[in-house]
Amino acid sequence: MKNKTTPQSTNNRLLLGIDLGTSRSVVCASNGQQAFVDSYVGWPKDFVARKKLGKDVLFGEEALRHRLSVDLCRPLERGVIKEGSKDQEAVKALIQHLISLVNPADNQEVFAAVGVPAESFKRDKIAISRCLNGVTDALMVVSEPFAVAWGKDLLDNALIIDIGAGTTDFCIMHGTVPGEDDQRTLEVAGDFLDNKLFEALTRAYPKSSITLNMARQFKETLSFVGAAPSPVLVDIPVNGKAEQHDITEQMREACEHIVPGLVETTAELISRYDPEFQDAVRRNIVLAGGGSQIRGLAARIEKEIGAYGPCKVKVVDDAIYTGARGCLALAKDMPETDWEDPAVSGNA
Amino acid sequence: MFWGKKTRPTAREAILKGVREDNVRLRQPGFTHRMSTRRPRRERWLTLAAAILVAGASLHHLLKVAEGNAPAPQAVAQPAPSPAAVAKIAKATPDMVTDAAPVTPLKIGEAGDNVKDLMGLSTRTIMIDAGHGGRDPGAVSKGGLREKDITLDVAARLKRILEQQRGYQILMSRHDDHFVPLHDRAKLANEKNVDLFISIHVNYMPGNAINAVETYYFGNYQDAATRELAKLENRESGYSISEFEKLGRDMQDRIKLQESMALAKSIQGSLLKNIRAQNERVLDTGVRPAPFIVLYAVKSPSILAEIGSLSSPEAEARLRREDYREQIAGYLAAGITNYLNNQSPSLMESKGGHHHEKQNHTAVHQ
């Protein structure tokens, strides 16, 4: 991106909120545009692949589709950037691609607030910040659950639980910037449940042709904990022919894995909170991320945590865009002088 | 200026300022992650002081023991309960919630459902493992109550209850307060060809005053807390690397996995339901897989039950009571019994006739 020595008029400034997730990365822009892409980056393996694909780099579904022809990378797997430059390069490429999706005008300054998984924020925020240097005209890095809290104006006596693909992140808000002790990360999240469901289906139906991707799709549409809202019936090929399978028990078994850690971590975070305000936090728990859509999960947490007092768990309306919208809200609310700090704008 | 000279920033403004400062710090040359996670100096000094105090107290106790003047341990009473307590529990038994939701064994495919049922396999010998012991006290509450004493007491009570109610052979991994390596516990269980292995522990969750129960079966950990718990419990396992590798080769055991999960669910369900029925607050931290080496090494279906948390003052106070430990043993027995009753549904016509029929079945096998 352009290296400005003097800040331009705010009229020529595009503010972005970017949610950099293990499975999916999302962008919301101040020009009203928004987009998302699966968090895959692929570089053609050789000149033959390069010629066939016609691109230097592929993203998302396209990269996955051509995975045999590309060096495929999924940065932020398990919620952290793996050691080495490839992940950092992938993060940089992904952000650039996301920016292109919202059509910034020529000569328009791009100021971005980027939300990353809480664990990645703890361990890799320096690496993320440095690898994104120059990609935008100014950059702020925040933890994703905090961005959700900001976007929903849940800044005090609130607990955000962001259930993503790689990690489940917790952030308890007490009216200040959350510190590391206010945040937790569990590795039981969407990908874990996908694997558990895949294993359970393979055990139950050894003759059926089940893939991990199929398990993921079943989970994304039909997941539940506790009592089944209805039988979970899906079509799975058996010897090339689609047959209906009842996977209710396997789905329950897989999804239930998320409950114990969720309940324990929630209880632990609340127990460390100021006792005078624990009731308030218990009444102000918000589930975000793709995993928030697991049917019955909010009610289950209410029931378990309710043993300690009245509990209310809400689910965000839009699991895909909530994080990025929170980052955009942060970008908009950030004072101009703060954006123009040389250390933030990269003009130091 | 963003803020008026005489206006205090609002909470939102203060948070935004914090975000900016955090990001500015990131860009400073030489800033490292260690700097951002370094604990405040005061907290480091307090930690050091606490460590010195603990070391000093331990040394003092060791010296006292050497001199033969060890203070009387915060003793849990000998396993034999008072007749009054037994009578009280016996009276309470009819009210005990034993109808925990039936546990449906995992369906494993078209060829059949439960392998154990398919093969007509029965349970005859149960080993109860009292966690820790001897030089390994396990968790210790702030009031000095030791996990090893609780587990031994509850294990002995559970043994007695199971022997009274069922016609099974009940073994224990230890009968007194001495250290038994995990390796030896598993070896004993395997040599005796036990059919079920129940390991009893009491949890401790630092900084958490909540009482919680959880039950584990062998599997990979799901969170950092379980990983750390497994590391603690696996200390001084007694296994060498080559022995462990051999265990890995023997581990493809579908019966063990599904039965361990079923047993864990039944025990957890019984503990939770019955403790809550007594109007006690307890958190359900669930049935979980964890890489506990003792569960890995024992060939039979095996579980590890954390029957409470010593970090909870309320739980500690209850666990000091004989009658409460007797109740816990009863809940464990109910969970085991419910699991056993649901093992072979094809053998059971009705609940009324089931006990008699099961005994006959057992007698035939004996």
Side-chain angles (χ1 to χ4, degrees), chain A residues 122 129 141 153 264 343, chain B residues 12 23 27 33 210 222 288:
Chain A
K122 280 184 200 176
S129 180
V141 180
D153 201 24
E264 182 174 354
Chain B
R12 287 180 71 90
N23 277 268
R27 313 282 164 71
H33 175 68
I210 297 169
Q222 296 179 358
R288 314 172 171 203

Side-chain angles (χ1 to χ4, degrees), chain A residues 142-295:
Chain A
V142 296
S143 84
E144 189 53 42
F146 165 69
V148 171
W150 186 269
K152 294 291 181 187
D153 201 24
L154 295 167
L155 303 180
D156 204 3
N157 299 330
L159 173 63
I160 312 301
I161 304 175
D162 184 358
I163 308 172
T167 60
T168 295
D169 295 335
F170 300 74
C171 179
I172 200 160
M173 295 295 297
H174 44 80
T176 63
V177 178
E180 292 191 3
D181 277 348
D182 300 319
Q183 300 185 77
R184 296 280 186 279
T185 294
L186 299 180
E187 288 181 4
V188 178
D191 286 352
F192 184 94
L193 301 188
D194 293 339
N195 281 306
K196 285 297 174 190
L197 179 59
F198 174 68
E199 285 168 13
L201 290 175
T202 306
R203 272 198 308 270
Y205 301 110
K207 289 187 180 176
S208 301
S209 304
I210 301 167
T211 65
L212 182 60
N213 203 41
M214 287 164 75
R216 177 172 296 130
Q217 287 170 1
F218 296 155
K219 182 209 74 185
E220 285 182 356
T221 50
L222 301 164
S223 58
F224 71 94
V225 294
S230 55
V232 180
L233 304 171
V234 298
D235 286 334
I236 302 175
V238 180
N239 297 324
K241 187 182 166 195
E243 286 186 12
Q244 193 178 73
H245 291 61
D246 184 338
I247 65 167
T248 311
E249 286 311 307
Q250 289 74 36
M251 183 65 77
R252 188 209 321 276
E253 180 197 322
C255 294
E256 285 282 343
H257 279 92
I258 204 165
V259 176
L262 249 180
V263 168
E264 182 174 354
T265 308
T266 299
E268 188 252 331
L269 275 170
I270 294 175
S271 76
R272 287 167 170 267
Y273 205 74
D274 187 325
E276 204 177 326
F277 300 103
Q278 285 178 8
D279 262 357
V281 176
R282 222 179 282 118
R283 288 193 177 95
N284 207 10
I285 299 174
V286 173
L287 294 186
S292 66
Q293 306 302 299
I294 297 175
R295 292 175 292 174

Side-chain angles (χ1 to χ4, degrees), chain A residues 130, chain B residues 24-32 35:
Chain A
R130 287 178 186 162
Chain B
V24 165
R25 259 202 310 277
L26 294 182
R27 313 282 164 71
Q28 286 171 357
F31 179 82
T32 64
M35 287 172 64

